[in-house]
Protein backbone atom coordinates (compact mmCIF):
# COMPACT_ATOMS: atom_id res chain seq x y z
CA UNK A 1 0.00 0.00 0.00
CA UNK A 2 1.31 3.35 -0.94
CA UNK A 3 1.75 6.03 1.64
CA UNK A 4 -0.88 8.27 0.05
CA UNK A 5 -3.58 5.56 -0.03
CA UNK A 6 -2.71 4.49 3.53
CA UNK A 7 -3.24 8.06 4.74
CA UNK A 8 -6.53 8.15 2.82
CA UNK A 9 -7.79 5.01 4.58
CA UNK A 10 -6.61 6.33 7.94
CA UNK A 11 -8.39 9.64 7.32
CA UNK A 12 -11.60 7.82 6.42
CA UNK A 13 -11.43 5.75 9.64
CA UNK A 14 -10.87 8.87 11.76
CA UNK A 15 -13.67 10.68 9.95
CA UNK A 16 -16.20 7.89 10.47
CA UNK A 17 -15.21 7.57 14.15
CA UNK A 18 -15.50 11.32 14.73
CA UNK A 19 -18.88 11.45 12.99
CA UNK A 20 -20.18 8.48 15.03
CA UNK A 21 -19.02 9.94 18.32
CA UNK A 22 -21.04 13.09 17.62
CA UNK A 23 -24.04 11.58 15.80
CA UNK A 24 -24.84 8.76 18.26
CA UNK A 25 -25.23 10.92 21.40
CA UNK A 26 -27.14 13.50 19.35
CA UNK A 27 -29.60 10.87 18.08
CA UNK A 28 -30.02 9.46 21.60
CA UNK A 29 -30.71 12.94 22.91
CA UNK A 30 -33.25 13.76 20.21
CA UNK A 31 -34.97 10.36 20.31
CA UNK A 32 -38.04 9.51 22.44
CA UNK A 33 -37.33 9.01 26.17
CA UNK A 34 -37.99 5.26 26.09
CA UNK A 35 -36.08 4.51 29.28
CA UNK A 36 -38.01 7.11 31.30
CA UNK A 37 -41.32 5.47 30.49
CA UNK A 38 -40.18 2.09 31.80
CA UNK A 39 -38.14 3.48 34.68
CA UNK A 40 -41.27 4.91 36.31
CA UNK A 41 -42.71 1.54 37.27
CA UNK A 42 -41.51 -1.38 39.33
CA UNK A 43 -43.19 -4.72 39.75
CA UNK A 44 -42.99 -7.16 42.65
CA UNK A 45 -44.60 -10.52 43.32
CA UNK A 46 -46.92 -10.63 46.33
CA UNK A 47 -45.04 -13.66 47.62
CA UNK A 48 -41.77 -11.69 47.59
CA UNK A 49 -43.28 -8.75 49.47
CA UNK A 50 -44.92 -10.71 52.28
CA UNK A 51 -46.21 -8.36 54.97
CA UNK A 52 -43.58 -5.71 54.18
CA UNK A 53 -40.62 -5.19 51.92
CA UNK A 54 -38.12 -2.39 51.70
CA UNK A 55 -37.41 -1.19 48.16
CA UNK A 56 -35.81 1.71 46.34
CA UNK A 57 -38.27 3.51 44.08
CA UNK A 58 -37.03 6.31 41.82
CA UNK A 59 -33.89 6.63 43.94
CA UNK A 60 -35.96 6.97 47.12
CA UNK A 61 -35.83 4.37 49.90
CA UNK A 62 -39.39 3.11 50.23
CA UNK A 63 -41.41 0.32 51.74
CA UNK A 64 -44.36 -1.73 50.55
CA UNK A 65 -46.63 -2.77 53.42
CA UNK A 66 -49.50 -5.22 53.31
CA UNK A 67 -51.86 -3.55 55.80
CA UNK A 68 -54.12 -6.00 57.58
CA UNK A 69 -57.58 -5.67 56.05
CA UNK A 70 -56.64 -2.64 53.94
CA UNK A 71 -54.29 -3.96 51.29
CA UNK A 72 -50.94 -2.78 50.06
CA UNK A 73 -49.45 0.68 50.32
CA UNK A 74 -46.08 2.04 49.14
CA UNK A 75 -44.53 4.75 51.29
CA UNK A 76 -41.30 6.67 51.24
CA UNK A 77 -38.99 5.72 54.11
CA UNK A 78 -37.56 9.23 54.26
CA UNK A 79 -38.78 10.95 57.41
CA UNK A 80 -40.38 14.34 56.78
CA UNK A 81 -38.62 15.85 59.79
CA UNK A 82 -34.91 15.73 58.95
CA UNK A 83 -34.71 12.90 56.45
CA UNK A 84 -33.71 9.87 58.53
CA UNK A 85 -34.91 6.50 57.28
CA UNK A 86 -37.94 5.16 59.08
CA UNK A 87 -38.26 1.50 60.05
CA UNK A 88 -41.33 -0.70 60.05
CA UNK A 89 -42.08 -2.27 63.42
CA UNK A 90 -44.05 -5.41 62.64
CA UNK A 91 -45.10 -5.88 66.26
CA UNK A 92 -46.75 -2.49 66.78
CA UNK A 93 -47.64 -2.04 63.08
CA UNK A 94 -46.09 1.43 63.12
CA UNK A 95 -43.42 3.22 61.13
CA UNK A 96 -40.82 4.59 63.50
CA UNK A 97 -38.12 7.14 62.89
CA UNK A 98 -35.10 6.21 65.02
CA UNK A 99 -33.64 9.73 65.00
CA UNK A 100 -36.18 11.72 67.02
CA UNK A 101 -38.89 9.16 67.77
CA UNK A 102 -41.32 10.14 65.06
CA UNK A 103 -44.20 7.69 64.70
CA UNK A 104 -46.30 7.19 61.57
CA UNK A 105 -49.32 4.94 61.07
CA UNK A 106 -49.66 2.52 58.19
CA UNK A 107 -51.26 5.23 56.04
CA UNK A 108 -48.06 7.25 56.46
CA UNK A 109 -49.72 9.90 58.66
CA UNK A 110 -47.88 11.33 61.66
CA UNK A 111 -49.06 9.90 64.97
CA UNK A 112 -46.52 11.57 67.25
CA UNK A 113 -43.14 13.23 67.31
CA UNK A 114 -41.61 16.10 65.38
CA UNK A 115 -42.32 15.16 61.71
CA UNK A 116 -44.34 18.04 60.21
CA UNK A 117 -46.22 16.04 57.59
CA UNK A 118 -47.11 12.58 56.33
CA UNK A 119 -44.76 10.28 54.46
CA UNK A 120 -44.89 10.41 50.66
CA UNK A 121 -47.19 7.78 49.20
CA UNK A 122 -46.33 6.21 45.85
CA UNK A 123 -49.00 5.05 43.38
CA UNK A 124 -49.57 1.33 43.69
CA UNK A 125 -51.91 -1.15 42.06
CA UNK A 126 -52.33 -4.89 42.36
CA UNK A 127 -52.79 -7.01 39.25
CA UNK A 128 -53.22 -10.68 40.10
CA UNK A 129 -50.07 -11.75 41.88
CA UNK A 130 -48.16 -8.59 40.91
CA UNK A 131 -47.78 -5.36 42.84
CA UNK A 132 -46.95 -2.49 40.52
CA UNK A 133 -45.47 0.72 41.91
CA UNK A 134 -45.50 3.89 39.84
S1 LIG B 1 -35.71 12.81 61.36
FE1 LIG B 1 -37.43 11.60 61.79
S2 LIG B 1 -38.20 12.38 63.61
FE2 LIG B 1 -36.49 13.63 63.20
Amino acid sequence: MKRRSFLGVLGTIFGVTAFGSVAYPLLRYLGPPQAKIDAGKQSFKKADVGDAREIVFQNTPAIIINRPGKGYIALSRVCTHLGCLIDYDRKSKKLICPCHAGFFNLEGRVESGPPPKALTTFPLRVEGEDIIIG
Side-chain angles (χ1 to χ4, degrees), residues 17 20-21 29 32 37 46 49 56-57 59 69 78 90 112:
T17 304
S21 66
Y29 176 75
I37 293 168
K46 282 182 181 175
V49 170
V56 175
F57 179 69
N59 295 323
V78 179
R90 286 174 164 79
S112 65

Side-chain angles (χ1 to χ4, degrees), residues 6 12 18-19 45 54 69 73 90 97 104 123:
F6 172 75
T12 303
F19 176 76
K45 294 287 178 198
E54 293 177 1
I73 190 168
R90 286 174 164 79
C97 180
F104 300 86

Side-chain angles (χ1 to χ4, degrees), residues 38-120:
D38 296 338
K41 295 187 189 305
Q42 284 184 10
S43 177
F44 301 90
K45 294 287 178 198
K46 282 182 181 175
D48 296 335
V49 170
D51 63 342
R53 177 176 171 173
E54 293 177 1
I55 63 169
V56 175
F57 179 69
Q58 294 179 341
N59 295 323
T60 301
I63 187 166
I64 303 170
I65 301 171
N66 187 4
R67 299 167 298 174
K70 293 183 177 175
Y72 294 92
I73 190 168
L75 298 166
S76 166
R77 289 184 58 221
V78 179
C79 181
T80 55
H81 180 222
L82 294 177
C84 291
L85 292 184
I86 55 109
D87 296 315
Y88 176 50
D89 182 39
R90 286 174 164 79
K91 221 179 211 180
S92 67
K93 305 277 186 226
K94 303 253 185 254
L95 295 155
I96 303 167
C97 180
C99 292
H100 311 104
F103 283 78
F104 300 86
N105 66 18
L106 295 188
E107 318 303 317
R109 287 194 289 270
V110 179
E111 288 204 330
S112 65
K117 60 182 184 176
L119 297 170
T120 301

